[in-house]
Amino acid sequence: MRRSLSALPVQAARWSATHPWRAIGGWLLFVAIAVGLAATVPTNEATDADYRIGESGRAAELLEDAGLEEAPSELVLITARAGDLDPGAAAAAAADVTAAMSGLSGVAAIAEPVTSADGQAVLVAVELTSDEVDAEPLLDATAGVRTDHPDLLVEETGDVSIGAAIDERVGEDLRSAEVISLPVTLLLMLLAFGALIAAGLPVLLAATSVGATIGLTAAISHVVPAEPTVFSMVVLIGMAVGVDYSLFYLKRERQERAAGRSHLDAVAIAAETSGHAILVSGAAVIASMAGLFVLTDVTFNSLAVGSIVVVAVAVLGSITVLPALLAKLGRWVDRPRIPLLWRITRRMGTGAISGRLVGPVVRHPVAALTLSVVVIGALAVPALSMRTHQASAETLPDDLAAVQAWQRVTDAFPNEGTSARIVVHGGDRIAREAALDEVAASADDASAVRTSSDGATSVLELALPWDESDDRATEAIELLRGETLPDALGDLDGSEWAVGGGAADSLDYTDKQSERLPILLAFVLLLTMLMMVLAFRSTLLGVVSTVLNLASVGVAFGILAIVFQHGVGEGLLDFSSPGFVIDWIPIFVLVVLVGLSMDYHVFVLSRIRELVDRGVPAREAVRRGVTDTAGVITSAAAVMVSVFAIFATLSMLEMKMMGVGLAAAILVDATLIRLVALPAILVLLGERAWPRRQRPAAPTLPGDSAAPTEWASRDGVLVPVTAGSR
């Protein structure tokens, strides 16, 4: 398998290097066609029905089939700016709201004003024809009433206005991330290479890979519906892997040229070494992302498709158009040079700093491993108490006017907040309605029973006096399902019932996630372990990779719990802790972290494997392999951390959680885990981790001279001793 994997990038690179214009033209044509798809093929976005799961999903389906779904509505809240509310002024403002809204497109009906129990708020419900109604005219009408009544606070909220505010904020956040991420990435590449063209190539490959993927994803969405967040994920993953793959290739090609190789030979050696590592790591990322399909969830299916496509496109570009560009540019790839940065990168050389850092780890592996385990354990322990919940009003930016208004509406009118929706279908209508009336009579706050026009389905809504994320709301749903409703409805022959609503949705989603998360974790870890075993022909390396991946996941989950559940760093990151982690974030962080960390993990192991294949003792191979690759790993991790950290500055809490979790975990993974724990473990395993194989000589490494005949220890470090040099 390894020979075939090695042959593929070499053959692709040689063809591309000898036919550069064809390779470059083919890539540009591919990107143009893919981008054209985005303009010509509309994206098929997931619908509400695609998100239904469990009993709550069945309740929503029964409501839809019976035509009992409540029409979308906007709520206009009227309160006093100071002091007590004047009933007369509130009534006049409510009448103005009714008049202003009545003639607007998309308004189906306007309910009579309702006064809160304490008399300090008035609510006007505006029924809409659909949830696709433009929010702007409605908000303008509310603003006009607010201007005419300066002593009153007239606010509008609802699914449409909140949705419009969130869409606008997400758009602003993503534009900000895109504007910042490109120059930051380019700056990091300039620090890595000291030359403008060399720095620009990784960014160019990543950007074109992302552009092509967005187009391809639009077409694929007609098979797997697209979730709105998929495009953010494509940018996130695409920039990370696209830059990393180019970085691995460019660094090795540059080293080979510095060692005196011709351009074509340098490209070929880079293809066989870094190209092979790119294929293996790309396959590992894809395997990790494929684990999302295990969850059978529309959101994760969409994220899996987008991430798999962008990684595959980035791998394709790195083994085709990148070698073509390198062959065509030749030494011009190191032009124009940034004088100061160029001198620094040349003087530092490969392993100038990392060699001093890795040396103590190699000399004292037990101490290094013990220290790393203690730190990793301390960061991972909070993961054991991590609490997850679906995104809710609590996780929305509290500086949005519509969100602030919603919080005030639910405070003044609790029945507008969290609720449980009991849907009963079939059986005798009179008996069904009577049973639901009994349930309503025993509840603190319940709506009237509604029955469909055909008499086959009835629904009762119970208000719950807690936020959706409150454990008491979850306990109330479980009590309804487990005791109250079986007792009240159990004697209804020929009927079925289901409990839905926001709290029930969250409970069903959490139950499904808890059931499938162990399967996902086992799938991702075992598949990546199998790939490591096949790629390196070492079971021990597969086990080590899996253990380190599990440690990285533990650190990521621990950091998420520390920051977002317990609120450490709220002021620094500008957010208010909801007391939980949004439920899809840990799963997404798991697969992305395992996938991306395999990039530099495979790169390190591939370099060590080269040295071992040439007869270098395992301890020295580890020291030199880690030293030679540490600079590349640092640059690659810096790109990932910087891109993810940008998301940590955004206002949407989901984006912030994703950014903090991945940035912090990658930072720990690329330093403590891969540059301390990994070499310490490999030194302790020694030759057992690297079974010797009969195979063609590995490519000569930069800086190599005559092949050593034996090795000797000098100052505790193994050094080559060639014939006649003793």
Side-chain angles (χ1 to χ4, degrees):
M1 178 180 177
R2 189 168 188 265
R3 287 191 181 186
S4 61
L5 282 174
S6 297
L8 179 60
V10 172
Q11 291 169 0
R14 282 198 178 278
W15 184 89
S16 299
T18 53
H19 305 83
W21 289 120
R22 292 185 187 180
I24 295 170
W27 177 258
L28 292 177
L29 180 62
F30 163 69
V31 173
I33 292 174
V35 171
L37 286 174
T40 57
V41 178
T43 299
N44 176 38
E45 293 192 356
T47 63
D48 289 342
D50 293 319
Y51 294 94
R52 294 172 184 166
I53 59 172
E55 185 176 325
S56 60
R58 178 58 180 160
E61 184 180 5
L62 290 173
L63 283 174
E64 182 180 23
D65 293 343
L68 286 173
E69 287 184 308
E70 290 188 350
S73 64
E74 285 290 287
L75 304 174
V76 179
L77 180 68
I78 302 170
T79 55
R81 287 191 178 275
D84 293 332
L85 179 66
D86 182 346
D96 288 349
V97 169
T98 300
M101 295 283 195
S102 296
L104 297 180
S105 174
V107 175
I110 301 176
E112 291 295 320
V114 178
T115 303
S116 64
D118 61 2
Q120 296 303 307
V122 171
L123 190 68
V124 180
V126 182
E127 183 180 322
L128 305 178
T129 55
S130 77
D131 55 9
E132 301 297 326
V133 173
D134 184 7
E136 187 173 355
L138 303 172
L139 293 169
D140 287 344
T142 301
V145 175
R146 184 164 53 247
T147 301
D148 294 339
H149 297 269
D151 294 335
L152 298 175
L153 184 60
V154 183
E155 306 170 279
E156 181 179 338
T157 188
D159 289 340
V160 171
S161 54
I162 290 177
I166 291 174
D167 288 344
E168 182 180 358
R169 178 61 58 83
V170 169
E172 292 173 355
D173 281 353
L174 292 180
R175 284 191 294 273
S176 173
E178 290 167 3
V179 168
I180 298 172
S181 63
L182 284 176
V184 168
T185 303
L186 183 59
L187 176 60
L188 290 172
M189 291 299 96
L190 284 172
L191 293 173
F193 291 106
L196 191 58
I197 293 178
L201 286 180
V203 178
L204 179 63
L205 177 64
T208 53
S209 297
V210 167
T213 300
I214 289 175
L216 295 174
T217 303
I220 297 173
S221 69
H222 292 273
V223 178
V224 180
E227 211 276 346
T229 56
V230 70
F231 299 110
S232 303
M233 183 277 311
V234 166
V235 174
L236 198 72
I237 303 299
M239 290 302 297
V241 299
V243 169
D244 280 2
Y245 295 162
S246 301
L247 183 64
F248 296 161
Y249 211 108
L250 277 165
K251 282 284 189 178
R252 187 56 185 267
E253 189 271 347
R254 173 187 270 192
Q255 290 173 2
E256 295 300 333
R257 281 194 291 107
R261 310 294 190 274
S262 68
H263 297 313
L264 288 180
D265 287 343
V267 169
I269 293 174
E272 186 175 356
T273 54
S274 295
H276 169 257
I278 288 168
L279 282 182
V280 174
S281 62
V285 178
I286 290 173
S288 179
M289 295 297 180
L292 291 174
F293 290 121
V294 170
L295 300 172
T296 63
D297 177 87
V298 64
T299 298
F300 292 120
N301 286 347
S302 178
L303 294 177
V305 168
S307 58
I308 288 171
V309 172
V310 77
V311 171
V313 171
V315 169
L316 178 64
S318 68
I319 64 174
T320 56
V321 70
L322 185 59
L325 289 169
L326 292 176
K328 196 66 185 173
L329 288 169
R331 295 191 178 277
W332 277 96
V333 74
D334 290 330
R335 305 288 194 279
R337 298 170 178 173
I338 311 300
L340 179 60
L341 291 179
W342 175 260
R343 286 196 297 271
I344 292 174
T345 57
R346 298 295 287 181
R347 286 178 181 176
M348 287 179 62
T350 302
I353 297 177
S354 56
R356 297 185 178 90
L357 299 177
V358 174
V361 175
V362 174
R363 289 193 296 271
H364 308 287
V366 174
L369 183 59
T370 301
L371 177 62
S372 61
V373 168
V374 169
V375 176
I376 291 168
L379 292 173
V381 163
L384 299 175
S385 61
M386 183 173 66
R387 178 171 174 261
T388 62
H389 195 279
Q390 278 190 323
S392 62
E394 301 166 79
T395 62
L396 295 175
D398 55 14
D399 62 337
L400 295 177
V403 173
Q404 295 173 353
W406 175 256
Q407 293 168 344
R408 281 189 275 270
V409 165
T410 55
D411 288 341
F413 300 88
N415 61 335
E416 294 291 341
T418 306
S419 65
R421 194 170 294 125
I422 305 169
V423 186
V424 187
H425 173 71
D428 181 73
R429 173 175 179 170
I430 296 176
R432 184 198 324 133
E433 291 181 343
L436 287 175
D437 284 337
E438 288 185 15
V439 174
S442 64
D444 293 334
D445 192 352
S447 66
V449 176
R450 295 184 294 125
T451 299
S452 60
S453 57
D454 62 3
T457 306
S458 300
V459 59
L460 170 68
E461 192 151 348
L462 305 179
L464 302 178
W466 310 291
D467 291 330
E468 284 184 13
S469 62
D470 195 310
D471 289 338
R472 290 171 293 181
T474 300
E475 292 169 0
I477 298 297
E478 291 174 335
L479 182 63
L480 275 173
R481 290 175 171 177
E483 297 181 20
T484 305
L485 296 185
D487 292 343
L489 308 176
D491 295 333
L492 296 177
D493 295 331
S495 66
E496 68 168 309
W497 52 267
V499 178
D505 284 340
S506 180
L507 174 60
D508 290 341
Y509 188 90
T510 301
D511 286 346
K512 181 181 178 181
Q513 178 177 301
S514 299
E515 177 184 309
R516 291 185 171 267
L517 184 58
I519 302 174
L520 168 65
L521 185 60
F523 178 91
V524 171
L525 294 179
L526 290 177
L527 190 55
T528 50
M529 180 178 72
L530 179 62
M531 295 187 66
M532 291 299 98
V533 172
L534 293 176
F536 294 100
R537 292 291 191 270
S538 173
T539 302
L540 280 175
L541 286 183
V543 172
V544 168
S545 300
T546 301
V547 170
L548 293 181
N549 285 338
L550 192 58
S552 297
V553 171
V555 168
F557 287 6
I559 291 171
L560 284 172
I562 291 169
V563 176
F564 296 101
Q565 181 174 324
H566 300 294
V568 176
E570 282 181 316
L572 179 64
L573 294 170
D574 189 24
F575 76 97
S576 297
S577 171
F580 58 86
V581 177
I582 296 174
D583 47 20
W584 68 270
I585 296 293
I587 292 176
F588 183 72
V589 168
L590 185 159
V591 295
V592 172
L593 176 62
V594 171
L596 294 185
S597 65
M598 295 305 288
D599 276 357
Y600 40 80
H601 182 73
V602 170
F603 193 65
V604 174
L605 293 183
S606 295
R607 183 60 66 90
I608 298 173
R609 173 86 263 184
E610 289 180 45
L611 288 158
V612 170
D613 284 348
R614 296 176 51 253
V616 178
R619 178 184 290 265
E620 176 62 18
V622 170
R623 185 194 66 79
R624 184 170 168 188
V626 174
T627 298
D628 288 349
T629 57
V632 180
I633 290 174
T634 301
S635 299
V639 171
M640 293 186 194
V641 171
S642 65
V643 171
F644 296 144
I646 291 169
F647 279 77
T649 65
L650 304 183
S651 59
M652 294 299 295
L653 192 57
E654 289 173 289
M655 297 293 104
K656 193 181 291 290
M657 285 185 181
M658 182 174 65
V660 169
L662 285 172
I666 289 288
L667 180 62
V668 174
D669 184 272
T671 53
L672 183 64
I673 294 179
R674 309 294 168 173
L675 295 182
V676 178
L678 176 61
I681 292 172
L682 293 179
V683 169
L684 292 174
L685 289 175
E687 303 292 338
R688 290 170 292 175
W690 310 97
R692 301 287 175 174
R693 302 170 300 175
Q694 294 296 324
R695 55 162 293 168
T700 304
L701 300 179
D704 284 348
S705 56
T709 56
E710 57 182 297
W711 295 77
S713 176
R714 292 180 182 170
D715 298 325
V717 176
L718 287 173
V719 295
V721 181
T722 55
S725 66
R726 293 181 64 85

